[in-house]
Amino acid sequence: MTIALTLDDACAALAADPTATVLAGGTDLMVQVNRGDHSIGNVVAIDRVPELRGWTREGDVLRIGAGMTYADMADPGFGALAPALGQAARTVGSPQIRATGTIGGNLATASPAGDMLPVLVALDAVVELRSSDGERHLPLDEFVVGVKANALSAGELIVAVRVPVLHGPQEFMKVGPRNAMVISVASLALVVDPFGRTVRVGLGSVAPVPLRATEAEVMIGGRIDWEGGRPPTAGDVDRFGQLVADAARPIDDHRGTAAYRRHVVGVMARRALVRAFGMVGEEAA
Amino acid sequence: MRTDPYRLTVNGRPVEVIDGHAGESLLFVLRERLGLPGSKNACEEGECGSCSVLLDGDLVCSCLVLAAAAADRDVATVEGLSDAGGEVGPLAYVQRAFVEAGAVQCGFCTPGLLMAVDALLCEEPDPDDLTVREAISGNLCRCTGYGRILEAVDRAAAMRREACS
Ligand SMILES: Cc1cc2nc3c(=O)[nH]c(=O)nc-3n(C[C@H](O)[C@H](O)[C@H](O)COP(=O)(O)OP(=O)(O)OC[C@H]3O[C@@H](n4cnc5c(N)ncnc54)[C@H](O)[C@@H]3O)c2cc1C
Ligand code: FES
Ligand code: FES
């Protein structure tokens, strides 16, 4: 058991034993350990490494430490810079889970239902990795490579994740059987970049990996009057919902059917778009 | 695999765990090694909250804390709520509120709820209904239907405010 107190400690312990288990909040790992699905050998606990906690802003880039907990993300200062991440963090588990669960653990677990992932994919996040061999940066879609599969090499640590500070509205929505303590049946993040003139949509729980709804993004980006600030029309909103639903690649499982998931992402897409723009615009004559 | 001995502070008292196993949770260590069975074991997957304790002041599920990774930390359990330290004696205000409101049926969820409510009221002495519901959303009760529990929280808040004023 290594309780790392610095990032160098953690990297050194992983260099000494690249097969050691990294432990952050334990909210995914300990469930497996308690079930007997994961036997614990050497452990490197990273929850006391100050370099992994907190966030910094450099220009319009927000660098989020891998050890940032969901409770940390409730900080209004953080929510102002990455609203959809703040909203998504509020929906995770319960106060007990939010007190310890981390964004780095969510990334490493790479569950299709991980609530950070649709937001991070919509934001074109970049994951910072470090090992004793050095550092590398991977875009999110190269980091999450399949159902619970990531691009981490043995002995490598997620150090941080970088997202842009956009200056437009953001929405996160998820659907599950009840309000609290819910694993997503489907989730959606919508972010607006008014300077880049794009609307970006990330989908969770509707494919092995988080998806972008590219066609829907291109369509709506072209329909919004960015100069005049006219919001999308009712027809645009419907078309957008349809294209987002078409982008999903859902399956039937114990949490929901593929048909329901496809339907519900369309509904969430329409709602998120209307919320983001505050209203529905007049149909052009 | 055995762990090296490590220390914890439990309810203000330093203890040493000398015979730990590598994968065991803080909940297991509290109950089986330290003789503190107040925290309950129901799901061992973070869903029910009956194992809730404070770790360095944060409400956590002790079933999801790897015990050896909590070395040198402060743990507060339900046994430490009252001054009686787990012996039969005067109850803490939250405990009295739960008894008086009839918020305990089988009692399995009670220790975790007491910790959650105490943590809430220390942070927010006069919480509104939504805040209370949010604060106990990680604690499941299959008996009471929560009505009496919400009543107990109101009562506890009033008792606490009175004691502090
Ligand atoms: C009751 C309950 C409710 C939940 N609800 C939700 C929910 O609503 N939404 C949701 O998305 N998730 C939920 N989860 C899942 C879990 O809480 C999250 O995935 C959480 O972000 C995991 O983070 P952690 O720090 O606890 O990870 P840990 O359990 O410590 O680690 C998980 C995995 O990631 C690896 N790892 C962790 N950090 C790093 C790092 N920095 N570098 C490399 N590898 C690392 C570990 O080795 C391990 O394999 C829930 C879990 C429980 C038990
Ligand atoms: S036993 Fe820990 S949450 Fe259920
Ligand atoms: S009183 Fe029985 S579970 Fe709450």
Side-chain angles (χ1 to χ4, degrees):
Chain A
M1 164 66 63
T2 303
I3 297 178
L5 297 178
T6 66
L7 189 51
D8 286 342
D9 276 358
C11 290
L14 284 169
D17 178 6
T19 68
T21 304
V22 173
L23 172 71
T27 60
D28 276 322
L29 188 67
M30 283 303 287
V31 172
Q32 288 179 280
V33 170
N34 291 341
R35 278 189 196 147
D37 292 345
H38 183 107
S39 70
I40 287 273
N42 285 339
V43 173
V44 180
I46 58 169
D47 61 333
R48 297 185 212 186
V49 175
E51 296 103 305
L52 295 177
R53 278 311 261 274
W55 48 275
T56 53
R57 179 181 181 174
E58 294 149 23
D60 268 351
V61 176
L62 178 63
R63 185 174 181 275
I64 305 162
M68 185 131 168
T69 65
Y70 298 113
D72 295 339
M73 284 185 244
D75 173 0
F78 179 83
L81 299 175
L85 277 176
Q87 291 173 32
R90 274 213 307 276
T91 74
V92 170
S94 60
Q96 289 90 327
I97 300 300
R98 294 196 289 276
T100 52
T102 64
I103 191 167
N106 206 243
L107 275 164
T109 294
S111 159
D115 283 324
M116 296 293 104
L117 305 184
V119 188
L120 293 175
V121 81
L123 288 170
D124 287 320
V126 172
V127 186
E128 271 182 44
L129 307 174
R130 184 182 301 186
S131 70
S132 51
D133 294 338
E135 225 180 272
R136 56 185 186 130
H137 293 183
L138 288 182
L140 189 85
D141 58 350
E142 289 174 34
F143 179 80
V144 179
V145 294
V147 174
K148 301 202 173 176
N150 63 45
L152 278 171
S153 309
E156 208 170 27
L157 207 59
I158 305 167
V159 178
V161 51
R162 287 171 189 263
V163 299
V165 177
L166 301 176
H167 302 271
Q170 302 187 358
E171 297 290 336
F172 172 82
M173 295 181 181
K174 82 189 215 188
V175 167
R178 61 193 183 108
N179 268 335
M181 194 80 97
V182 154
I183 306 272
S184 294
V185 173
S187 60
L188 175 141
L190 180 145
V191 305
V192 180
D193 175 1
F195 298 127
R197 300 191 167 184
T198 55
V199 175
R200 284 135 65 173
V201 180
L203 303 178
S205 283
V206 293
V209 296
L211 290 183
R212 285 284 287 273
T214 319
E215 261 184 73
E217 294 178 12
V218 172
M219 186 283 290
I220 202 70
R223 296 285 302 157
I224 288 164
D225 171 13
W226 296 99
E227 299 271 320
R230 180 176 56 79
T233 64
D236 295 338
V237 172
D238 280 344
R239 179 93 190 99
F240 178 71
Q242 189 54 52
L243 288 174
V244 171
D246 291 346
R249 290 192 276 120
I251 55 165
D252 290 326
D253 69 10
H254 61 289
R255 292 207 193 97
T257 63
Y260 175 71
R261 288 187 157 108
R262 189 180 294 288
H263 171 74
V264 89
V265 290
V267 173
M268 287 192 289
R270 294 201 304 268
R271 278 189 199 155
L273 189 67
V274 172
R275 268 195 209 168
F277 286 91
M279 60 186 288
V280 178
E282 303 280 314
E283 292 297 338
Chain B
M1 201 162 87
R2 284 189 177 270
T3 58
D4 292 333
Y6 57 91
R7 287 167 202 280
L8 299 169
T9 304
V10 182
N11 299 327
R13 212 162 39 89
V15 296
E16 188 163 26
V17 181
I18 40 178
D19 49 0
H21 276 273
E24 64 197 20
S25 68
L26 179 60
L27 176 62
F28 181 89
V29 167
L30 291 170
R31 291 178 57 86
E32 309 297 334
R33 301 200 185 281
L34 300 175
L36 294 169
S39 310
K40 297 294 176 240
N41 177 356
C43 70
E44 289 200 294
E45 49 186 53
E47 295 277 348
C48 75
S50 60
C51 64
S52 299
V53 301
L54 299 184
L55 187 61
D56 284 348
D58 289 330
L59 189 73
V60 304
C61 296
S62 60
C63 70
L64 298 184
V65 175
L66 185 67
D72 304 319
R73 298 209 134 152
D74 256 329
V75 184
T77 74
V78 71
E79 284 92 346
L81 272 183
S82 79
D83 297 335
E87 301 302 313
V88 177
L91 294 178
Y93 74 99
V94 246
Q95 294 169 312
R96 280 207 315 277
F98 268 65
V99 172
E100 287 168 13
V104 181
Q105 286 186 29
C106 82
F108 211 83
C109 66
T110 311
L113 273 162
L114 292 172
M115 297 310 289
V117 172
D118 188 53
L120 165 69
L121 296 179
C122 288
E123 185 114 319
E124 173 63 66
D126 193 9
D128 59 28
D129 187 56
L130 209 64
T131 307
V132 173
R133 285 170 189 267
E134 179 58 41
I136 63 171
S137 62
N139 295 79
L140 298 185
C141 173
R142 5 180 263 177
C143 302
T144 63
Y146 300 99
R148 300 261 173 109
I149 291 173
L150 294 171
E151 215 180 294
V153 180
D154 279 349
R155 209 177 257 264
M159 284 159 81
R160 193 171 183 280
R161 284 196 301 272
E162 214 160 278
C164 294
S165 65

